[in-house]
């Protein structure tokens, strides 16, 4: 099908000619606009008649033949009718800006080459041509011979006027929430499998992605093998505790982690602006008593809080808690901004994306803290209400049905998504040697997109 429109006017030549290597001003002669089409406010969509001699075989047999494109009468928008009957409109400046050809988008670096700011706001579409199979459209713009091709499915995925839902749209994470029952069927992979190739690594990553916790068995009980295992995912995130850590309860750092004290369920590094993403943990030696490891699915706990006490859930998404790490000499770490909610919500989807909770590392709660962000119901927070919400949250975390207690052993490593899963341990005596590493959240997610999500991992770039 061929849709063609005579452009109504030329874009300002000084602007057009600056579009990098794309525009030949002499190539197209354009008409002056009529009074009716000059103003965008009177611009109407006009269906362009199909040319019946083109692609009859597609029309006869394929659903895709039902897909149509129309250029608006002022040529500054393209309306696409998809095979399911839904339509969406795309502005010409958006289409020109999102050209994915090698001149406009670097095929290797995946970075934009087109200079967005040299595209006229009212750039006109001079032609829109569907390909033979009806699944892509080729556009040309007034004053240029440059051709832009879009897959219609890609346009649908990125539609905005209106936004159309597609299978690949909004790649939602496939979380499986868990409680104490997960001990009956732990997500475990073999060390040798992870080290052997990307298939084994993908299995491990998938477990972390879905459960927020994953175990590896058969790990040689030493630092070298554990470090190699962590580096299969990404380089190590170095912190004030070092890069790869190997420690006993020797008070090497002024932090309770370096003692034999019990630790309540918490996430690590709430005092960082960007808390660490993954924590790999391998107990390589243990002779003593106690020291069981505790894990709690923070997303499940948050879902329970939302269901039972929605007002407390909302409060914990709105009150920002300051935190610090200041035990070591010359170390006064605090996040910027100074505080974050315990339950962090995506401002667009309103989905929970990060739990940030360590009651031991919480700084002073004062008038700067007892304020709601993004609140429609008033900013002030009563201190008693805050403590009530906090207590309710912790009572869910400490519900036996939510607590997973595991006695780790040499050879059995665990990794947790520190933005979702809380960890802790019971008190212990004796000798307990732990090694492991931190990994950045973005580096971990990059690996998941690459190895577990296939082509859909690249959809939104
Ligand atoms: Fe910790
Ligand atoms: Zn291009």
């Amino acid at each position: 099908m061929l849709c063609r429109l005579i452009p109504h006017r030329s874009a300002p030549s000084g602007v057009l000619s600056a579009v990098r290597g794309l525009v030949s001003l002499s190539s197209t002669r354009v008409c002056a606009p009529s009074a009716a089409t000059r103003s965008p406010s009177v611009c109407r969509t006009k269906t362009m008649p199909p040319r019946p001699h083109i692609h009859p075989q597609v029309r006869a047999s394929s659903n895709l033949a039902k897909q149509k494109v129309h250029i608006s009468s002022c040529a500054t928008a393209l309306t696409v009718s998809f095979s399911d009957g839904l339509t969406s409109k795309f502005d010409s400046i958006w289409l020109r800006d999102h050209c994915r050809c090698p001149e406009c988008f670097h095929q290797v670096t995946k970075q934009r080459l087109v200079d967005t700011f040299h595209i006229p706001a009212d750039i006109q579409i001079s032609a829109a041509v569907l390909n033979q199979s009806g699944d892509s459209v080729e556009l040309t713009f007034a004053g240029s011979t440059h051709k832009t091709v879009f897959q219609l499915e890609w346009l649908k995925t990125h539609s905005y006027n209106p936004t159309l839902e597609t299978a690949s749209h909004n790649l939602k994470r496939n979380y499986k929430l868990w409680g104490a029952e997960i001990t009956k069927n732990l997500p475990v992979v073999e060390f040798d499998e992870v080290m052997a190739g990307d298939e084994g690594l993908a299995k491990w990553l998938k477990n972390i992605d879905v459960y927020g916790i994953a175990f590896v068995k058969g790990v040689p009980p030493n630092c070298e093998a554990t470090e190699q295992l962590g580096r299969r995912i990404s380089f190590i995130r170095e912190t004030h505790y070092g890069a790869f850590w190997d420690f006993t309860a020797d008070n090497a750092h002024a932090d309770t982690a370096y003692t034999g004290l019990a630790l309540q369920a918490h996430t690590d590094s709430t005092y960082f602006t960007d808390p660490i993403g993954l924590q790999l943990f391998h107990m390589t030696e243990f002779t003593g008593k106690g020291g069981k490891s505790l894990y709690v699915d923070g997303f499940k706990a948050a879902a329970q809080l939302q269901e039972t006490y929605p007002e407390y859930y909302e409060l914990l998404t709105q009150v920002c808690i300051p935190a610090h790490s200041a035990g070591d000499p010359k170390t006064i770490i605090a996040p910027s901004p100074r505080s974050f909610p315990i339950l962090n919500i995506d401002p667009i989807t309103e989905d929970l994306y990060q739990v940030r909770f360590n009651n031991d590392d919480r700084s002073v709660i004062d008038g700067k803290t007892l304020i709601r962000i993004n609140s429609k119901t008033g900013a002030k927070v009563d201190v008693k209400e805050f403590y009530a919400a906090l207590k309710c949250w912790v009572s869910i975390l400490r519900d036996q049905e939510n607590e997973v207690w595991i006695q780790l052993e040499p050879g059995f490593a665990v990794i947790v998504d520190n933005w979702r899963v809380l960890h802790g341990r019971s008190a212990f005596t004796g000798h307990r040697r732990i090694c492991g590493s931190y990994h950045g959240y973005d580096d971990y997610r990059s690996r998941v997109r690459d190895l577990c999500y296939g082509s859909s991992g690249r959809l939104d770039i």
Side-chain angles (χ1 to χ4, degrees):
M1 184 187 319
L2 178 65
C3 300
R4 204 169 280 284
L5 186 88
I6 302 206
H8 294 297
R9 60 179 163 179
S10 62
S13 61
V15 177
L16 268 183
S17 60
V19 176
R20 261 189 263 164
L22 304 176
V23 175
S24 163
L25 281 175
S26 60
S27 63
T28 309
R29 183 174 168 76
V30 295
C31 309
S34 71
T37 57
R38 197 173 284 132
S39 160
S41 63
V42 294
C43 177
R44 295 187 309 274
T45 299
K46 183 171 87 182
T47 302
M48 303 307 290
R51 288 177 31 170
H53 62 282
I54 302 176
H55 328 313
Q57 74 284 12
V58 175
R59 256 190 218 112
S61 61
S62 166
N63 245 357
L64 295 172
K66 293 179 188 162
Q67 308 206 112
K68 295 186 180 74
V69 290
H70 321 288
I71 301 173
S72 65
S73 59
C74 55
T76 55
L78 181 80
T79 298
V80 180
S81 304
F82 298 95
S83 52
D84 54 9
L86 297 174
T87 65
S88 197
K89 192 171 165 184
F90 302 86
D91 292 87
S92 56
I93 186 171
W94 184 94
L95 291 162
R96 185 65 195 83
D97 180 49
H98 284 86
C99 181
R100 287 308 197 239
C101 86
E103 280 178 61
C104 300
F105 189 74
H106 199 291
Q107 304 300 294
V108 177
T109 71
K110 315 290 184 216
Q111 289 171 295
R112 180 173 280 101
L113 295 173
V114 65
D115 188 342
T116 303
F117 309 100
H118 281 102
I119 304 171
D122 58 351
I123 187 170
Q124 293 182 318
I125 304 163
S126 52
V129 183
L130 280 177
N131 70 344
Q132 282 219 347
S133 44
D135 58 5
S136 75
V137 61
E138 182 188 271
L139 303 175
T140 46
F141 295 88
S144 168
T145 55
H146 186 79
K147 292 188 189 311
T148 295
V149 176
F150 289 108
Q151 296 298 314
L152 296 195
E153 197 53 38
W154 188 92
L155 286 176
K156 192 175 187 186
T157 299
H158 298 289
S159 57
Y160 58 90
N161 186 20
T163 306
L164 304 177
E165 289 293 327
T166 65
S168 50
H169 191 254
N170 275 340
L171 294 166
K172 287 257 183 198
R173 299 271 296 274
N174 176 29
Y175 298 123
K176 286 199 176 120
L177 305 180
W178 46 267
E181 78 291 344
I182 199 175
T183 49
K184 290 182 207 140
N185 195 14
L186 290 175
V188 184
V189 292
E190 293 274 354
F191 174 79
D192 288 345
E193 207 179 350
V194 175
M195 301 308 287
D198 283 351
E199 207 177 313
L201 175 58
K203 266 196 202 171
W204 187 31
L205 286 166
K206 186 101 190 278
N207 283 345
I208 308 169
D209 186 37
V210 171
Y211 298 101
I213 190 166
F215 299 85
V216 183
K217 63 180 179 182
V219 186
N222 61 60
C223 291
E224 294 70 31
T226 310
E227 182 170 352
Q228 283 168 13
L229 178 68
R231 287 186 185 280
R232 288 291 285 138
I233 293 181
S234 74
F235 51 84
I236 291 168
R237 176 154 167 200
E238 193 165 359
T239 69
H240 55 308
Y241 299 121
F244 187 84
W245 23 265
D246 174 21
F247 68 94
T248 55
D250 60 359
N251 297 306
H253 289 278
D255 190 283
T256 46
Y258 292 80
T259 69
L261 297 172
L263 298 176
Q264 299 288 356
H266 65 278
T267 62
D268 273 10
S269 66
T270 54
Y271 42 73
F272 283 156
T273 307
D274 170 31
I276 62 102
L278 298 178
Q279 186 195 66
L280 174 65
F281 194 86
H282 186 195
M283 191 175 70
T284 50
E285 296 169 15
F286 184 48
T287 45
K289 283 199 174 134
K292 269 193 165 186
S293 294
L294 166 68
Y295 301 101
V296 180
D297 184 350
F299 282 11
K300 184 184 180 193
Q304 288 178 338
L305 181 67
Q306 188 175 24
E307 197 175 321
T308 51
Y309 291 94
E311 67 279 17
Y312 288 160
Y313 176 85
E314 189 176 63
L315 189 77
L316 296 187
T317 66
Q318 293 177 333
V319 175
C320 296
I321 310 292
H324 63 267
S325 174
D328 283 342
K330 300 187 177 180
T331 302
I332 311 170
I333 295 174
S336 303
R338 183 66 184 87
S339 52
F340 287 88
I342 291 172
L343 303 177
N344 290 272
I345 304 296
D346 183 319
I348 294 175
T349 63
E350 296 188 354
D351 290 336
L352 175 69
Y353 71 90
Q354 184 190 74
V355 173
R356 188 190 264 259
F357 180 64
N358 185 339
N359 202 51
D360 299 357
D361 292 346
R362 175 161 54 80
S363 307
V364 176
I365 302 290
D366 59 18
K368 295 187 289 296
T369 305
L370 294 164
I371 294 168
R372 287 174 184 259
I373 55 166
N374 305 323
S375 171
K376 293 171 190 133
T377 56
K380 200 103 180 85
V381 177
D382 180 84
V383 74
K384 291 191 192 73
E385 192 189 4
F386 169 72
Y387 279 108
L390 200 60
K391 199 168 176 181
C392 191
W393 163 244
V394 169
S395 70
I396 293 172
L397 292 178
R398 295 185 187 175
D399 183 334
Q400 283 191 354
E401 290 191 8
N402 288 336
E403 288 187 332
V404 173
W405 287 97
I406 296 176
Q407 183 65 64
L408 295 174
E409 294 168 355
F412 196 60
V414 57
I415 195 163
V416 294
D417 173 348
N418 185 61
W419 286 25
R420 169 177 170 185
V421 172
L422 300 94
H423 63 276
R425 64 151 192 252
S426 59
F428 67 91
T429 53
H431 171 76
R432 189 175 187 255
R433 186 172 183 181
I434 299 291
C435 68
S437 48
Y438 285 150
H439 300 261
Y441 195 78
D442 294 342
D443 305 309
Y444 146 60
R445 296 307 303 163
S446 166
R447 210 76 163 121
V448 170
R449 284 196 188 94
D450 180 39
L451 292 180
C452 305
Y453 287 4
S455 59
S456 63
R458 296 183 178 273
L459 260 183
D460 59 352
I461 58 173

